[in-house]
Each structure stands twice: as structure tokens, then as C-alpha cells.
């Protein structure tokens, strides 16, 4: 009797183990191997996860110019810089407690008459969206003053003879002045700003009627930039094998990837929801075919957050980026990003065709199309960029020759610092 009971108990345990194994295999079949058919993936498509908060990044400028007479310029590391920490605090305080002084035509001699920080945007910044990005329900303080869009903001910290903290919002023609009185500056009590003038003996910037322009009377040295293609193998060849591991991050389940070569020779990786292609002119293209859920609110901030998160999740975007421009196309928002490296912009001087006879070239190194918070298309030039060990000497810079310095993206592995037209629509942009 006891043996029968032991046998029966063992049989029960064995049956339970088989049942558990069957459940495990079934879950693997539906949730992993057949991901695209699962009810859970349908739910994910209908109710996409919330995108990271990109509001703070929206309000951040693409560069900061600061100084007193002579100026320094920052492109790299703005998010963690003291210049932006101070600027963000000031702008939040002004939007909450600032007083509108008046408006008129841009008077840069007044704006730059003392130590100042100028925050410049690469596209016309909408006043209401800017205020919302800084935590305000609306931009009434700015819009009531008549500001629709602006391209730069200048902050004058208090100085001897003027205890007021002054803020100027500017476009190419007009400026609007606000002041934050002393008794409302409690949010800045622990942030003392001292803006020294730039060193005139090295590369610096001066203000002219056309904007902030570089000066280096005795020349200066810089490191050239090297462009690399991470999708090619050690022999410089582009193959399905060399690419597959590099594109897996675009797929929720890499086991579902089907590689192939199209009739026109395009390397393609796809499953039922996603397609990634390597186009002839070294452009990577991602497309998503998932159902677009309507539960995610359609607005600019949500779409920008999704775009920025997608870019930063791309393992081969190794350089800093900033928002170059955007536009709305029906229910979609399109965002273009430029790179920053070694405190200089790294941009396209001309549109980049993705393939022969291209009718939709890239306007910037990275393009992201977002619909209701979901990235539906993503294109970027495949290269990553790094500084080389080659130190190059640049002769004296005459500031009346051009607008700014930057690295143009083009063909060839080595990129030198060149004369570029202004990136943005700020003061002096053409």
C-alpha cells in the first residue's frame, strides 16, 4: 500500500512537471517565437508605452554664447552645463514671476552692453510650447506680450549699477524685455554667476551686425574628425552577416528577423512589424508597420519625446545631437537632428540623397517621423564620428569672412574644421 502511494505521488509530480513544461513551451511559442501574432503584442500596439519626458530637451538651446565684450561659445555638454542650469532657473522664474518691460526693434548694443548669456535655437521657437516645456500650463506671459516665436534669449545677470535681472526674447527683427525684480529671485539665491570675458588671445567670438563671429588673430589648433562605418566588416565589406548584429536593436525579438537582398541589391532585415534597409548612399532606414494606438495623445511634446528617445537608444548614435528643425505633416511630426562633436556642430551643408534618383533626400544627418507617439520612420547617415589624433593648425581667422566654424559631413574619412553658414535662425542667421 505504501509503495502504491509513493508511486502515485511520484506520478502526480511527474504530471505536474510535464504540465509546467507544456505551459513554458506554449509561452515561448506565443510570446517569443510568434511575437508578432500574440495578443500581448496587439495590446502593446494599441496601448504603446509612454515616451520618456523630452520637454526639458525641447527648451534647451543648440548653443550658448556668453561673455562680456569677447565671447565664448558652447555646443557640447549644454544639458549638464552651469550656463544652462542658470538659464533654465532664470527662465522658469521669469515665466512665473517676471514683469514685462516693453518691446522694440532688436538693439544688440544694449543687449551686449554688459556681461550676458545668449541662448540660441536652431529653429523658430514657439513661445507657448517653450513655456509648456519649462513646466508652465501656457505661455500667457510671453504671448500676451506679443511673442509668437523667437530665435534667441539673452539673460543679463544683475551688475553694479543695475540690480535687476533682465531677459530679452529676440527674433531677427524684434526683442521683448522682461525683468525679474530682486525680491522675486529666491530661486537663484544659491546660484551666483560671474561671466568673465573670453580670452582674446585664443579663438573667441565677437558680436557684429551679422551675429557672433569667430576671431583667432594668431590662428589656433584643432583635431580633425574621423568618420567610421560600423556596419562594414574588418575587410570593409558590407554583408548580411556584418549587418545583422548591428540592426537587432531595432527589433523587439531578434529571433524573428528575416534577412535578405532585394532585387535592386538593398540589404533588408524585416519581420511582420518592422523593416530595416541599408540604402545605397550609406543611409540606414527603419520603418514600423505596427498599429498606431489612439490612446496616446497626439501633440508635439509627446512626439518629440518619442523621437529623441529613439535616437538615443540607437547604439550607433555615439555623438551628441541637437534638434535642427521640425515640421508637421498631417498627423505626423518630422524631426531633424544634427550632431555635435568637440564643441562644434557637425552638419550637412547640402541635402543627402539616400540612393540614386532620390526624391526625398535627408535634410540633416538624422530624420525621425512620429505618429501619435510612435516612431514610424527613421533615417540617418550610417557614420559615427570621433576626434582623431591629428592636430591641425588653422591660420588667422578674419571674422568678416564668414559666420561660424563647424565640421561639414561629406564623403571621405577625415573631416576638417571649415567655414560654415550659421546653423540656426538666431541673430545673424542667413
Amino acid at each position: 500500500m505504501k509503495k502504491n502511494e509513493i508511486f502515485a505521488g511520484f506520478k502526480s509530480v511527474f504530471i505536474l512537471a510535464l504540465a509546467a513544461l507544456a505551459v513554458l513551451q506554449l509561452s515561448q511559442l506565443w510570446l517569443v517565437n510568434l511575437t508578432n501574432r500574440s495578443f500581448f503584442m496587439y495590446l502593446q500596439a494599441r496601448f504603446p508605452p509612454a515616451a520618456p519626458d523630452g520637454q526639458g530637451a525641447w527648451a534647451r538651446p543648440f548653443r550658448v554664447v556668453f561673455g562680456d565684450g569677447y565671447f565664448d561659445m558652447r555646443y557640447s555638454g549644454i544639458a549638464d552645463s552651469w550656463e544652462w542650469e542658470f538659464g533654465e532657473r532664470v527662465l522658469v522664474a521669469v515665466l512665473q514671476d517676471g514683469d514685462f518691460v516693453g518691446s522694440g526693434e532688436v538693439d544688440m548694443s544694449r543687449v551686449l552692453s554688459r556681461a550676458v548669456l545668449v541662448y540660441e535655437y536652431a529653429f523658430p521657437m514657439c513661445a507657448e510650447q517653450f513655456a509648456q516645456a519649462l513646466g508652465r500650463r501656457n505661455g500667457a506671459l510671453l504671448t500676451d506680450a506679443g511673442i509668437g516665436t523667437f530665435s534667441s534669449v539673452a539673460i543679463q545677470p544683475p551688475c553694479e549699477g543695475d540690480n535687476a535681472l533682465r531677459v530679452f526674447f529676440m527674433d531677427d527683427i524684434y526683442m521683448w524685455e522682461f525683468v525679474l525684480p530682486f525680491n522675486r529671485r529666491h530661486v537663484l539665491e544659491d546660484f551666483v554667476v560671474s561671466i568673465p570675458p573670453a580670452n582674446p588671445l585664443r579663438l573667441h567670438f565677437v558680436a557684429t551686425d551679422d551675429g557672433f563671429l569667430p576671431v583667432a588673430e594668431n590662428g589656433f589648433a584643432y583635431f580633425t574628425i574621423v568618420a567610421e562605418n560600423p556596419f562594414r566588416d574588418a575587410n570593409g565589406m558590407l554583408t548580411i552577416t556584418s549587418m545583422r548584429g548591428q540592426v537587432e536593436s531595432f527589433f523587439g525579438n531578434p529571433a524573428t528577423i528575416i534577412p535578405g537582398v532585394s532585387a535592386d541589391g538593398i540589404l533588408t532585415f524585416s519581420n511582420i512589424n518592422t523593416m530595416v534597409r541599408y540604402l545605397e548612399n550609406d543611409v540606414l532606414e527603419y520603418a514600423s508597420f505596427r498599429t498606431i494606438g489612439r490612446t496616446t495623445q497626439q501633440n508635439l511634446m509627446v512626439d518629440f519625446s518619442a523621437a529623441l528617445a529613439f535616437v538615443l537608444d540607437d547604439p550607433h548614435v555615439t555623438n551628441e545631437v541637437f534638434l535642427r528643425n521640425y515640421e508637421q505633416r498631417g498627423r505626423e511630426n518630422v524631426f531633424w537632428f544634427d550632431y555635435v562633436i568637440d564643441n562644434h556642430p557637425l552638419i550637412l551643408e547640402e541635402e543627402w540623397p539616400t540612393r540614386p534618383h532620390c526624391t526625398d533626400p535627408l535634410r540633416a544627418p538624422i530624420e525621425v517621423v512620429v505618429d501619435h507617439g510612435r516612431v514610424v520612420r527613421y533615417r540617418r547617415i550610417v557614420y559615427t564620428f570621433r576626434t582623431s589624433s591629428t592636430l591641425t593648425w588653422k591660420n588667422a581667422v578674419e571674422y568678416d569672412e564668414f559666420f561660424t566654424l563647424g565640421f561639414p559631413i561629406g564623403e571621405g574619412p577625415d573631416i576638417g574644421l571649415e567655414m560654415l553658414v550659421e546653423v540656426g535662425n538666431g541673430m545673424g542667421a542667413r
Side-chain angles (χ1 to χ4, degrees):
M1 188 70 175
K2 182 177 282 189
K3 289 183 178 180
N4 290 337
E5 291 177 353
I6 293 174
F7 179 74
F10 175 78
K11 186 165 66 173
S12 298
V13 171
F14 182 70
I15 291 172
L16 288 173
L18 287 177
L21 181 61
V23 170
L24 177 62
Q25 289 177 331
L26 183 62
S27 66
Q28 288 289 315
L29 176 65
W30 280 99
L31 300 182
V32 178
N33 298 327
L34 297 180
T35 295
N36 299 316
R37 299 182 185 179
S38 76
F39 176 69
F40 296 101
M41 290 306 297
Y42 170 79
L43 287 179
Q44 183 185 31
R46 300 299 297 177
F47 303 98
D53 179 15
Q55 290 191 171
W58 180 265
R60 208 157 48 230
F62 86 96
R63 76 178 183 189
V64 183
V65 185
F66 54 98
D68 185 1
Y70 299 112
F71 299 92
D72 281 314
M73 191 172 288
R74 177 188 290 278
Y75 289 94
S76 297
I78 289 177
D80 300 318
S81 68
W82 70 265
E83 297 96 339
W84 179 236
E85 183 181 357
F86 174 75
E88 188 174 27
R89 288 197 195 188
V90 168
L91 292 168
V92 168
V94 167
L95 290 172
Q96 180 177 346
D97 292 321
D99 293 331
F100 177 53
V101 176
S103 62
E105 293 188 359
V106 172
D107 181 2
M108 291 310 299
S109 62
R110 179 161 180 256
V111 173
L112 305 179
S113 62
R114 69 196 212 203
V116 67
L117 297 99
V118 181
Y119 305 87
E120 297 195 332
Y121 295 88
F123 56 91
M125 173 64 71
C126 171
E128 187 167 359
Q129 292 166 354
F130 178 78
Q132 291 173 357
L134 290 176
R136 304 302 297 170
R137 182 173 300 178
N138 57 58
L141 180 74
L142 303 182
T143 56
D144 288 350
I147 306 177
T149 62
F150 59 90
S151 52
S152 60
V153 183
I155 298 177
Q156 292 179 338
C159 66
E160 185 177 351
D162 185 0
N163 196 37
L165 188 151
R166 301 185 182 276
V167 178
F168 302 88
F169 289 82
M170 298 178 287
D171 62 17
D172 288 338
I173 301 174
Y174 298 103
M175 70 181 189
W176 296 262
E177 181 180 354
F178 296 82
V179 66
L180 189 65
F182 179 78
N183 61 351
R184 303 179 197 170
R185 295 209 299 269
H186 54 278
V187 296
L188 303 173
E189 288 177 355
D190 61 341
F191 210 118
V192 178
V193 171
S194 177
I195 307 173
N199 186 345
L201 299 180
R202 57 176 173 77
L203 176 64
H204 62 282
F205 297 81
V206 298
T208 73
D209 293 339
D210 290 320
F212 295 102
L213 307 180
V215 179
E217 296 178 0
N218 298 317
F220 65 97
Y222 68 93
F223 291 100
T224 55
I225 304 301
V226 176
E228 299 175 327
N229 187 337
F231 294 98
R232 296 187 180 275
D233 63 20
N235 297 317
M237 302 297 294
L238 188 67
T239 65
I240 287 178
T241 302
S242 68
M243 272 201 66
R244 180 180 175 121
Q246 309 288 0
V247 302
E248 288 184 351
S249 61
F250 294 106
F251 295 84
N253 178 14
T256 65
I257 297 176
I258 301 174
V261 182
S262 66
D264 53 357
I266 303 298
L267 293 179
T268 303
F269 303 83
S270 62
N271 62 20
I272 196 170
N273 292 320
T274 304
M275 178 180 291
V276 176
R277 301 192 300 165
Y278 190 105
L279 304 179
E280 289 98 321
N281 289 355
D282 292 333
V283 172
L284 192 73
E285 180 185 67
Y286 161 95
S288 172
F289 309 110
R290 293 190 186 278
T291 303
I292 303 297
R294 298 298 191 274
T295 57
T296 302
Q297 182 182 4
Q298 183 183 23
N299 65 46
L300 187 63
M301 288 298 106
V302 169
D303 285 359
F304 173 69
S305 296
L308 182 62
F310 198 92
V311 171
L312 297 181
D313 283 342
D314 186 337
H316 294 300
V317 175
T318 57
N319 305 103
E320 285 188 70
V321 299
F322 67 85
L323 183 63
R324 170 72 175 271
N325 210 342
Y326 73 98
E327 72 177 25
Q328 187 173 10
R329 295 178 182 171
R331 52 178 286 151
E332 298 175 341
N333 281 305
V334 187
F335 304 91
W336 292 279
F337 294 87
D338 276 342
Y339 289 118
V340 172
I341 187 168
D342 201 22
N343 205 38
H344 290 287
L346 181 61
I347 65 175
L348 294 180
E349 288 192 285
E350 298 179 355
E351 293 183 340
W352 186 286
T354 62
R355 54 192 311 183
H357 313 296
C358 172
T359 59
D360 185 20
L362 281 172
R363 302 185 193 177
I366 301 175
E367 175 190 273
V368 191
V369 182
V370 187
D371 185 350
H372 278 80
R374 184 181 294 284
V375 173
V376 296
R377 191 186 190 199
Y378 173 69
R379 299 190 299 170
R380 69 168 177 82
I381 297 171
V382 300
Y383 308 130
T384 60
F385 304 92
R386 62 175 176 82
T387 54
S388 73
S389 58
T390 303
L391 194 62
T392 301
W393 183 260
K394 192 172 186 65
N395 293 329
V397 174
E398 297 294 336
Y399 69 81
D400 59 348
E401 290 184 355
F402 55 94
F403 289 107
T404 194
L405 295 169
F407 295 101
I409 298 174
E411 297 182 358
D414 295 323
I415 304 173
L417 203 61
E418 291 189 7
M419 307 173 182
L420 298 180
V421 174
E422 278 284 9
V423 175
N425 295 310
M427 186 189 72
R430 292 183 178 177

